[in-house]
Each structure stands twice: as structure tokens, then as C-alpha cells.
Amino acid sequence: MNFEFKNIEFRNFFDIDLNKYDKKAIKVSFISIVVMLLISIISTILIKLNFDGVTRINIFSILLSFHLSALKVKNMMVFSISTVKIGIIILLIIPVIVLSITNLFIYKREFDSIKECMYESFKIAFLYGMFLSVIAIFSRVKINMGIDAMFGFGYNNSTTIGYKLIYSFVNGFMIAFITSTILNWKKEFYGRYYFVDIVFSALKVFINLFVITLIITTIVSFTKNYTFSDFGLTTYSKGFGIVAYVVQIASYLMIILSGGSVEIGDKSDSLSIFSVFNKSIFMDTKLIIFIVFSIFALTMILIGSKIYKNYRYDNKKMILHFSVFYSFFISVISRFSAISISTSSIKSFSSFEIIAKSNPVLVFISAMILSMIFLNIGYKATEELEEYL
């Protein structure tokens, strides 16, 4: 971490030349969507070739699934509406890579200020989200199942399947904004601003912890596959699904080790670091959670120690800032990794089945509190040790 402690000027944020970058934001968002459409077409062909019986696939649905948009299902037979969230988080890699390459291709090293960079990122995100919203409209498919009779009257038994417009916009906006901002900040301003450098320090720690957790998850999945059966996803841990499976489990472990809770099963039973030893789950699962939590705690203590040694005279609020950004990245994982099915009917009957999900806001708060505790332990312990020596 090499901070010059320059501050970002947020006053008069929109006091910039709005036409300076011409139509580059439009180009980035449009080209990214076109590339994603091409990838969706290729994916559709591969699905048809590898899965017998699959003859009709909506290309727009494939594209939206890459962005983890929520699926809406209306059934006219029982007058029910279901919302399906399939947060297979590994799918996010594809739009993130596409947006990153397009950003690098369109935007050269030319931003004069962070304000300009963030404004362009906002435009890209807004346009990208709008494109996904329009695509969500064309993703709707109506399946007619014939005419059924009830109480002597005939009615159309049909099911309408499509993606939620607002949800598609929000997901597209978040993916494009975070990707564009982080990429251009790294390219333009890393090493020049405290604010930017602390974001990348938190991101680096987040990635390192995720990689370590992923390695542990992969080893355990191949040696003792039943260990993570408590998460309810073991069915998908075979064949090509094993990659998505280990990434998904690693994501949930990251939420848990950071202090958040993951709701599992149809009874909304939550699993967190504070309740894991009171749950009737496999001992191996408890052991793995304890190991990754210990790694997290040790990492935060060491970072707290490093902050004291190197930056105690420059910015004593670094612990708070680091904790906020680390917690933000954890909450993003929480937002996109939800796998759930909710159903409601016109008869006021409602059921809610949760496979695995968490509350991003609560995860953010829990992660911030827990990380600050361990960061302060490292900071204070180093301070006391220095005074003693």
C-alpha cells in the first residue's frame, strides 16, 4: 500500500464536461451487450448439442441468466406467481470479463479526474442496465397447455415465464458500474489516491481469502463430498457442475467467515459462525467453517498490525475505511449468490422455499463489525507490544 493521502473532491461532482468522452459509454454498453448475445447464441447451441430433448431455448433468457436476473413464472391453472433466483455466481465471470475488455478497448488512459471516471462508469452502468431491461421484455415465453375445464367452464391453462425487468436493470447496473469503476480506477488512479488504494487493498484481501477458501472447498469436495451437503447443493456437485458447486460453497463460506448468516433449506434455518456449533450439521462442516474463520481472523489481525506499523501517523481512520470496503465486497457476494424460490397464489396461500440465501444489508453490517474487531485487535496488540519493548 503506497498512499499519498490525496482526497477525492466530491463537491460539484457533476461540474464536468459531459461531452468530453463523446459516446464512449454508449459504445461500451452496446458492444458488451452484442458480445454477450453472441456468447448466449453459442451457449444455446452447446446446450442443444449436449442435452437431448432440449429443442427450444430463448437466447435472451440465456443472456439474462449470465447476469443472475430473477425469473418470474405465472401459472394460470392455479393462479400462482413464482419468483426464482438462481444465483450461480460463477456465471458473473462472463459479463465481468466482457465489460472489462470493452472498457480497456474503448477507454484509453485519458481520465483527468476520479469524478470523470465515476461519471462515465455511471453512464455505462445505466445504459447497460437499460439494455438488459429491454431484453427482459423479450425474454418472456408463454407455454399453452390446452383448454381445461373447471366447474363446467373452459379456461386456458398456460404458463408464462420471463425475467423481472427491474431486477434485470439493477443487476446489470451493479455489474457494469462496479466492473467499470474498479477497472478504470486501477488503470488510472491506483497509487495516487488514498481512497482508491484502500479500495484495492480491501479487494486484494477479499480475493486472497476467497482463493484460499475456494482451494479448501475444492479439496474437501473431492475427498469428502458429503461435507457440504448441509447447504443443499450436493446434487449439483457432479460432472461439469462441480466447478459451479465449489465456487458457490466458497461464496457461502466467505459470508459465514465474515460474520454473516446464510439461510438454508425450506425452514429458513440460518447458519453463521456464531451458531454453527449449535446446529445439527456434519462435524466436518463445522471444522471447515472454523478453519476458514480462523484464517479470516488471523488475516485481519495481521492487517491491523500492518496499519499501525506503517500508517498510524497518516490516517487513523484506515481501519474503518478498510472494513467498510471489505464488507461491501462481501455484501456483493451475498447479493448475487441467492438461490431461492418464492410462490404466492390468488387464494392467499403462500409458500417460501429457500435453498441458500442471505441478507446483503445484514451481511454488510456483520462483516464490518467483525472485521473492525480483529483489525483493532491487531492494531492495539502491536501498539502495546511496541510500548512494552
Side-chain angles (χ1 to χ4, degrees):
M1 293 184 287
N2 182 26
F3 302 136
E4 294 184 19
F5 295 98
K6 294 180 180 179
N7 293 320
I8 300 175
E9 182 58 68
F10 286 103
R11 289 179 300 176
N12 301 321
F13 184 81
F14 291 101
D15 186 19
I16 56 179
D17 185 0
L18 302 181
N19 299 316
K20 181 176 181 179
Y21 298 99
D22 198 19
K23 299 179 180 179
K24 290 188 175 183
I26 298 176
K27 293 177 182 178
V28 170
S29 55
F30 180 75
I31 292 174
S32 297
I33 288 293
V34 171
V35 174
M36 287 302 302
L37 277 171
L38 293 175
I39 293 174
S40 300
I41 293 172
I42 295 172
S43 300
T44 300
I45 295 172
L46 292 175
I47 291 172
K48 288 182 178 180
L49 290 175
N50 289 281
F51 295 93
D52 297 331
V54 179
T55 58
R56 183 182 178 184
I57 302 176
N58 190 316
I59 297 173
F60 297 135
S61 295
I62 297 294
L63 188 149
L64 290 168
S65 67
F66 283 127
H67 298 83
L68 308 185
S69 298
L71 193 65
K72 187 176 182 179
V73 181
K74 291 182 179 180
N75 189 291
M76 296 305 296
M77 182 177 180
V78 293
F79 303 103
S80 67
I81 299 177
S82 300
T83 299
V84 182
K85 297 179 182 178
I86 307 176
I88 306 174
I89 205 160
I90 194 173
L91 294 178
L92 285 181
I93 294 176
I94 297 175
V96 167
I97 291 176
V98 170
L99 282 162
S100 298
I101 294 174
T102 310
N103 265 284
L104 290 172
F105 180 76
I106 299 297
Y107 287 98
K108 307 299 179 182
R109 196 176 180 87
E110 56 188 18
F111 288 110
D112 295 326
S113 68
I114 288 183
K115 289 192 295 184
E116 291 180 351
C117 180
M118 292 185 69
Y119 183 68
E120 286 299 299
S121 295
F122 179 85
K123 288 198 296 183
I124 292 170
F126 180 80
L127 291 169
Y128 194 80
M130 287 300 296
F131 282 133
L132 289 185
S133 297
V134 173
I135 290 173
I137 296 175
F138 294 99
S139 71
R140 295 171 186 168
V141 176
K142 188 174 183 178
I143 304 173
N144 290 313
M145 300 178 181
I147 304 297
D148 289 326
M150 181 178 287
F151 305 116
F153 297 94
Y155 68 96
N156 186 23
N157 180 12
S158 64
T159 300
T160 303
I161 304 174
Y163 284 86
K164 286 191 170 184
L165 189 147
I166 300 298
Y167 206 92
S168 299
F169 173 81
V170 173
N171 276 22
F173 183 92
M174 288 182 64
I175 295 168
F177 183 79
I178 294 172
T179 301
S180 300
T181 300
I182 289 178
L183 181 71
N184 289 313
W185 275 8
K186 175 67 175 179
K187 178 168 61 76
E188 303 278 355
F189 305 107
Y190 183 69
R192 294 167 53 190
Y193 288 89
Y194 164 81
F195 185 81
V196 174
D197 284 21
I198 202 71
V199 168
F200 280 97
S201 296
L203 180 60
K204 182 179 178 180
V205 171
F206 168 79
I207 292 174
N208 289 339
L209 283 172
F210 189 87
V211 170
I212 293 172
T213 305
L214 185 60
I215 292 172
I216 294 174
T217 304
T218 303
I219 294 172
V220 173
S221 296
F222 279 102
T223 55
K224 295 184 177 181
N225 184 263
Y226 67 85
T227 301
F228 299 121
S229 60
D230 295 292
F231 288 94
L233 301 173
T234 311
T235 307
Y236 310 99
S237 63
K238 300 176 183 178
F240 294 108
I242 186 65
V243 177
Y245 172 77
V246 295
V247 173
Q248 200 72 19
I249 295 299
S251 300
Y252 296 141
L253 289 177
M254 282 290 292
I255 295 170
I256 293 172
L257 69 85
S258 299
S261 63
V262 177
E263 297 175 354
I264 302 169
D266 57 1
K267 295 181 180 179
S268 299
D269 189 20
S270 62
L271 182 63
S272 70
I273 191 62
F274 305 108
S275 65
V276 63
F277 292 103
N278 296 324
K279 300 294 182 180
S280 56
I281 60 177
F282 288 114
M283 183 56 66
D284 286 347
T285 306
K286 295 180 180 181
L287 180 61
I288 296 301
I289 292 176
F290 177 75
I291 290 173
V292 293
F293 174 74
S294 299
I295 295 172
F296 161 77
L298 180 60
T299 300
M300 291 299 166
I301 290 173
L302 292 175
I303 292 172
S305 176
K306 185 176 181 180
I307 289 175
Y308 176 80
K309 289 179 180 179
N310 299 330
Y311 309 107
R312 52 182 162 164
Y313 301 117
D314 296 310
N315 195 330
K316 294 182 178 180
K317 293 182 179 179
M318 186 180 293
I319 288 178
L320 174 61
H321 299 157
F322 181 94
S323 179
V324 167
F325 291 120
Y326 173 81
S327 302
F328 169 75
F329 293 124
I330 292 294
S331 65
V332 170
I333 288 289
S334 171
R335 169 67 171 75
F336 285 104
S337 63
I339 298 178
S340 64
I341 302 173
S342 60
T343 304
S344 60
S345 72
I346 199 171
K347 297 178 180 179
S348 299
F349 168 81
S350 63
S351 62
F352 193 49
E353 178 184 355
I354 300 174
I355 297 177
K357 65 173 291 186
S358 55
N359 187 313
V361 176
L362 295 180
V363 168
F364 175 84
I365 295 172
S366 300
M368 187 173 68
I369 293 173
L370 197 62
S371 59
M372 283 188 65
I373 289 173
F374 287 115
L375 287 169
N376 274 292
I377 288 174
Y379 189 96
K380 296 294 184 181
T382 306
E383 183 181 23
E384 293 294 331
L385 184 62
E386 187 177 270
E387 292 179 359
Y388 178 78
L389 296 176

